[in-house]
Amino acid sequence: MHRFKLSLRFPKSISSSYRAIHDKTQFDNAGPVTSVLKSRAVVRFRGPDTVKFLQGLLTNDVRRFGEAVGEKTSTLATPNLPTASEAPMYAALLTPQGRFLYDFFLYAPPRPDTKLDKTGSGPGPDPDEALELFADVDASVVDELLSTLKKYRLRSKVDIENMAEELYCWQRFGGNLSEKSSSVEEPEAASVGWGAGVDPAGMSASHGGPLGWQWFKDPRLYCLGFRGIFPSNTTPPLVEADKETDEQNYLLWRIENGVAEGSTEIPKGEAIPLEYNLVGLNAISFDKGCYVGQELVARTHHRGVIRKRLLPLRFVKDSGEEAEQEVAPGSEVIDSVSEKKVGTITTQLGCRGLGVLRLDEAFKGSNTLTIQGQKDIKVEAIRPHWWPAEWLQEPQHQSAAV
């Protein structure tokens, strides 16, 4: 069983012990918890060329954000009924050589033509108003990212603005969330609309303010919970005071599920997107056409075999004790018998981590994986429950062919 202290409003450092990725954690017992993600910053794109600009850069198909409102996406909101919301999108910006640079969570605020005006009698602002999209991005590289985007902008009519002071990114995760709800919204947050007669208490329970910010399913995996951006001067809806927890616990949750985030955990300029499972995380469209770095990604997907992938890892000593804070990112994982390199540690927290390992070596069951120069530390690789079965079959088929 997982054993770690749930650090809430006044977080303590994490000292954790894990047995298997499917075991229950205290998060499951405590219900959903919430973290403000200081590691992320919000950027706004605004202008008539917003969709066209991002479509030529990012790995996912951004065109749906520019589609006209139709029956499947929205009807005019009425008091005490929800507006239909466009689901967020996960995407990446790559180098021309197809290596990872930055990741983006894209959000579309409610369209003016899906809201009522203040009287509740007709549509709100002009539906032809310039399109806005927001993205939460890695805060540690936000200035560099903005500079890169502006270099690509050329004559495109799109303004790019850092909104880090005005908007924060938040995550709800843990147990008792409706993982397989058909709604893209957090189920508790999809019950009140934009009509003039909306009850204020109901409004505060479902949306984050007059802009209509709300919780959405994480676009990568249902098990990651719900994500949203909210005004920095307010607490998001559904955040209980005793369930707000340090961001390190969200990192722990992602490590458990084998999901990296940001340009540090997914090494900037080096990482191959498919090895970091970006296809399984819904970050890549293979039908959208050209984008920066598209050729290598498409070729690898359609012709290649992915022999290495990002995996959750557990570090233990020969004595069976957990190796807390003893493995550094960048450490090499080797097979202690053959002395061959199996992979590299990319992220570490307590006795857990993420690493890109050769699948044929990671899961052969010989219990011989160790850290280069630290042979008293064993490395246990864990298969995330959301992985497609074929990801493990590919290396086996390749070996048989050889």
Side-chain angles (χ1 to χ4, degrees):
M1 172 156 314
H2 300 324
R3 304 188 304 277
F4 66 92
K5 295 180 180 179
L6 181 63
S7 65
L8 296 174
R9 184 69 74 172
F10 303 102
K12 300 177 181 179
S13 60
I14 297 176
S15 177
S16 310
S17 167
Y18 303 82
R19 298 303 176 200
I21 202 164
H22 300 288
D23 290 344
K24 293 289 184 181
T25 73
Q26 290 188 30
F27 284 144
D28 294 283
N29 297 327
V33 293
T34 311
S35 296
V36 58
L37 305 185
K38 296 294 182 67
S39 64
R40 308 294 292 185
V42 178
V43 173
R44 179 175 69 180
F45 301 90
R46 187 174 188 273
D49 291 341
T50 293
V51 169
K52 180 180 178 181
F53 171 69
L54 292 174
Q55 180 71 2
L57 290 180
L58 303 185
T59 56
N60 219 332
D61 196 337
V62 185
R63 288 175 295 182
R64 67 173 168 84
F65 288 118
E67 294 174 353
V69 176
E71 291 183 2
K72 293 184 179 181
T73 57
S74 180
T75 55
L76 187 63
T78 56
N80 300 318
L81 289 177
T83 54
S85 302
E86 189 68 65
M89 175 183 291
Y90 187 50
L93 174 62
L94 310 180
T95 69
Q97 295 75 34
R99 305 285 175 157
F100 178 89
L101 278 178
Y102 314 107
D103 62 353
F104 295 71
F105 292 81
L106 293 171
Y107 308 80
R111 296 277 292 273
D113 49 343
T114 67
K115 299 184 290 186
L116 299 182
D117 60 21
K118 292 183 178 180
T119 68
S121 61
D126 183 359
D128 294 326
E129 182 180 339
L131 176 66
E132 280 186 325
L133 290 179
F134 292 79
D136 80 66
V137 299
D138 187 338
S140 68
V141 294
V142 65
D143 291 335
E144 175 189 311
L145 181 149
L146 290 172
S147 177
T148 300
L149 291 172
K150 289 173 182 178
K151 288 178 182 177
Y152 278 115
R153 181 172 54 184
L154 301 176
R155 293 186 175 87
S156 296
K157 296 179 181 178
V158 54
D159 293 323
I160 307 169
E161 184 180 358
N162 187 348
M163 303 290 289
E165 297 298 322
E166 291 83 5
L167 295 167
Y168 286 170
C169 178
W170 292 72
Q171 189 90 12
R172 294 188 78 220
F173 61 99
N176 301 327
L177 288 173
S178 300
E179 293 180 340
K180 296 184 179 180
S181 168
S182 60
S183 173
V184 300
E185 299 180 357
E186 168 29 282
E188 295 178 62
S191 58
V192 180
W194 286 87
V198 168
D199 174 66
M203 183 70 174
S204 65
S206 64
H207 293 90
L211 286 177
W213 296 122
Q214 57 202 67
W215 294 105
F216 292 94
K217 281 184 179 179
D218 192 301
R220 296 167 296 179
L221 297 170
Y222 66 82
C223 60
L224 293 177
F226 295 84
R227 198 176 183 102
I229 53 177
F230 299 91
S232 57
N233 59 354
T234 63
T235 298
L238 309 179
V239 175
E240 300 176 39
D242 63 340
K243 297 294 179 67
E244 186 178 338
T245 186
D246 186 76
E247 185 178 351
Q248 290 289 85
N249 285 326
Y250 168 60
L251 170 58
L252 199 60
W253 187 257
R254 284 195 292 103
I255 288 176
E256 274 196 325
N257 287 283
V259 178
E261 184 174 295
S263 302
T264 300
E265 296 176 30
I266 311 175
K268 183 166 60 71
E270 300 176 11
I272 297 174
L274 274 62
E275 291 184 350
Y276 281 75
N277 306 325
L278 292 192
V279 174
L281 298 176
N282 302 312
I284 299 176
S285 169
F286 293 100
D287 301 318
K288 64 167 287 185
C290 294
Y291 55 86
V292 176
Q294 181 261 349
E295 182 179 356
L296 176 64
V297 173
R299 184 171 67 247
T300 304
H301 176 70
H302 292 296
R303 298 177 55 191
V305 174
I306 312 303
R307 299 181 179 87
K308 298 188 295 181
R309 288 190 182 274
L310 187 76
L311 293 166
L313 304 173
R314 177 172 174 257
F315 311 122
V316 296
K317 299 178 183 179
D318 285 336
S319 63
E321 298 178 10
E322 290 153 342
E324 295 279 351
Q325 309 296 337
E326 296 190 30
V327 177
S331 300
E332 292 187 355
V333 179
I334 64 169
D335 186 306
S336 60
V337 175
S338 66
E339 297 291 334
K340 290 182 179 179
K341 179 180 176 180
V342 176
T344 304
I345 306 298
T346 60
T347 305
Q348 173 273 330
L349 183 64
C351 64
R352 293 300 299 268
L354 296 171
V356 177
L357 272 60
R358 291 182 58 89
L359 298 181
D360 55 352
E361 297 290 336
F363 295 117
K364 68 180 183 181
S366 60
N367 196 30
T368 59
L369 300 185
T370 64
I371 299 296
Q372 177 73 50
Q374 297 174 273
K375 291 191 175 181
D376 61 323
I377 296 178
K378 302 296 184 184
V379 179
E380 297 179 1
I382 303 166
R383 177 196 168 182
H385 63 85
W386 57 270
W387 272 29
E390 58 266 23
W391 282 9
L392 289 179
Q393 295 168 357
E394 286 177 348
Q396 297 174 6
H397 292 164
Q398 180 69 13
S399 299
V402 173

